[in-house]
Amino acid sequence: MKSKLSLLSAALLTASLSLAPGLSQAAIPIAVEGQSIPSLAPMLERTTPAVVAVAVTGTHVSKQKVPDAFRYFFGPNAPREQVQERPFRGLGSGVIIDADKGYIVTNNHVIEGADEILIGLYDGREVEAKLIGTDSESDIALLQIKADNLVAVKRADSDKLKVGDFAVAIGNPFGLGQTVTSGIVSAMGRSGLGIEMLENFIQTDAAINSGNSGGALVNLNGDLIGINTAIVAPGGGNVGIGFAIPANMVNNLVDQIIEHGEVRRGVLGVSGRDLTNELAKGFGLNTQHGGFVDQVMADSAADEAGIKAGDIIVSVNGRNIKSFQELRAKVATMGAGAEVKFGLIRDGDKQTVTATLGETSQTTETAAGAIHPMLAGAALENNKKGVEITDVAQNSPAAASGLQKGDLIVGVNRSPIKDLKSLKTKLVDQQGAVALKIKRDKSSLYLVLR
């Protein structure tokens, strides 16, 4: 009975795979000993050569202030800072996206701070890689190698993914060598996790572990649907909750890096929040998905397109969005100058407007409100000593909080912060009032956000 049930299950899965829309003939199960059983082997034979191992070496440099008493003991020429250097090694994965030019995509956190990047190809060759460019806020890096007989992965349209689609993760977990795991797409548009500044993740239950970062998430045709990036691991191991950066988001970022050598961030010029049940009821809306616009910056792309405060943006280029965070991630990775169609609801009526995105590099004007509602209206920029307030819109929540242009955020409560990512990480789990430590001119003060 057990064998009959197994054969029946195999036959049913074979039938479902053969009927799946868009599935290539090569992905259909093969025959083994006269029985047709499902196998991903034919697809993987074509796809796995495009996934590489990434080994990095570098040196972490840390600086520690020397206490005044120590400096007094050793005289006026004693150093003010103590510099420590600590060598490090790291392992990750990458995906070849252009065989002719040798382009490889991986995560920024895999190669960050590396002095040397070595690529391990599927056939055993090792090649040194050149860093072309990175985007720390979305955690993408582009590398390039010079080698013959490379195999590139074909990229899919990740906007067409649906929950329940099959997904296969390929990478190099724990330095074991190339490993394949399978699962499904568990969710789309995951954000607000505090992992990256720009979040619009594909969630999957395909097993992803340390070393899988930068590897491929593919569909049953072997087409790239995402770059594996992070996991939720309460106990330190895989629990079936992994996240990948969508292929379309990767495409936009890579194209900008290749063309400009950097990411030229697109800016819409709005601040807002997720559409909650309370907001939806207050506006008499049936939908509970979208981004609620709190404020539109003067002379911004949104202002010129006719977007107004109180609008609910529900789609980008015809694709529905779930949250303001997803809207922010899509806009920021499309690139300056892109023409984008936004579907919105105003006074209960559906409208479509077209906006030409503005440009910024590291400034994240639209990100401020997503980090904390009372930062909305502030333009934030990474500074060597913290996060600088480069502008504050009049009558905005940021202005009401007491923030001023030129302020430098250096801490949250009693914890220091060094950049936008650490600021977001500190604020994401805070409940109730929170105190920002600010350096203004030559003095320090605390501002409370409620």
Side-chain angles (χ1 to χ4, degrees), residues 230-306:
I231 59 172
V232 171
N238 174 67
V239 294
I241 304 177
F243 302 102
I245 302 170
N248 288 4
M249 187 169 167
V250 174
N251 293 342
N252 290 333
L253 294 166
V254 166
D255 288 346
Q256 293 173 57
I257 292 173
I258 292 174
E259 183 176 356
H260 306 295
E262 64 177 357
V263 171
R264 295 189 175 178
R265 188 97 49 220
V267 173
L268 181 58
V270 299
S271 61
R273 66 190 74 190
D274 295 346
L275 182 64
T276 62
N277 291 332
E278 291 77 12
L279 280 173
K281 289 179 181 178
F283 281 81
L285 300 175
N286 293 325
T287 181
Q288 294 180 4
H289 296 296
F292 182 82
V293 178
D294 285 334
Q295 183 182 20
V296 177
M297 309 299 178
D299 301 320
S300 65
D303 190 19
E304 293 178 2

Side-chain angles (χ1 to χ4, degrees), residues 385 404-408 438-445:
K385 298 181 180 180
Q404 299 179 11
K405 181 179 179 180
D407 284 351
L408 190 67
I438 303 291
K439 284 192 174 181
R440 180 179 295 169
D441 298 326
K442 295 182 180 180
S443 61
S444 296
L445 65 149

Side-chain angles (χ1 to χ4, degrees), residues 128-151:
E128 190 170 346
K130 174 185 177 182
L131 178 62
I132 302 300
T134 67
D135 181 40
S136 60
E137 292 184 15
S138 61
D139 202 12
I140 284 293
L142 181 66
L143 311 175
Q144 187 175 34
I145 61 173
K146 293 182 179 180
D148 298 325
N149 302 318
L150 297 178
V151 176

Side-chain angles (χ1 to χ4, degrees), residues 6 31 47 354 402:
S6 299
T47 307
T354 301

Side-chain angles (χ1 to χ4, degrees), residues 143-353:
L143 311 175
Q144 187 175 34
I145 61 173
K146 293 182 179 180
D148 298 325
N149 302 318
L150 297 178
V151 176
V153 68
K154 180 181 176 182
R155 285 171 273 179
D157 183 354
S158 57
D159 283 339
K160 293 183 179 179
L161 283 176
K162 295 181 179 179
V163 174
D165 286 350
F166 289 106
V168 179
I170 311 172
N172 296 274
F174 303 111
L176 292 172
Q178 196 171 88
T179 302
V180 177
T181 57
S182 66
I184 63 170
V185 173
S186 305
M188 296 291 298
R190 286 295 194 214
S191 60
L193 305 172
I195 299 172
E196 307 297 345
M197 280 297 300
L198 299 173
E199 297 180 343
N200 179 28
F201 292 122
I202 301 167
Q203 182 181 325
T204 180
D205 65 346
I208 297 173
N209 290 288
S210 177
N212 272 114
S213 291
L217 189 69
V218 302
N219 59 22
L220 291 185
N221 281 331
D223 301 335
L224 186 71
I225 58 176
I227 296 295
N228 300 323
T229 297
I231 59 172
V232 171
N238 174 67
V239 294
I241 304 177
F243 302 102
I245 302 170
N248 288 4
M249 187 169 167
V250 174
N251 293 342
N252 290 333
L253 294 166
V254 166
D255 288 346
Q256 293 173 57
I257 292 173
I258 292 174
E259 183 176 356
H260 306 295
E262 64 177 357
V263 171
R264 295 189 175 178
R265 188 97 49 220
V267 173
L268 181 58
V270 299
S271 61
R273 66 190 74 190
D274 295 346
L275 182 64
T276 62
N277 291 332
E278 291 77 12
L279 280 173
K281 289 179 181 178
F283 281 81
L285 300 175
N286 293 325
T287 181
Q288 294 180 4
H289 296 296
F292 182 82
V293 178
D294 285 334
Q295 183 182 20
V296 177
M297 309 299 178
D299 301 320
S300 65
D303 190 19
E304 293 178 2
I307 297 174
K308 299 179 179 180
D311 287 347
I312 295 97
I313 299 177
V314 294
S315 68
V316 177
N317 285 338
R319 307 286 186 180
N320 292 337
I321 60 168
K322 293 183 177 181
S323 64
F324 190 84
Q325 292 269 21
E326 184 179 353
L327 168 68
R328 184 170 68 87
K330 283 182 175 290
V331 167
T333 54
M334 282 181 175
E339 282 197 358
V340 185
K341 291 184 178 180
F342 295 95
L344 54 86
I345 299 175
R346 179 183 298 163
D347 298 328
D349 297 326
K350 293 184 178 180
Q351 300 183 26
T352 300
V353 300

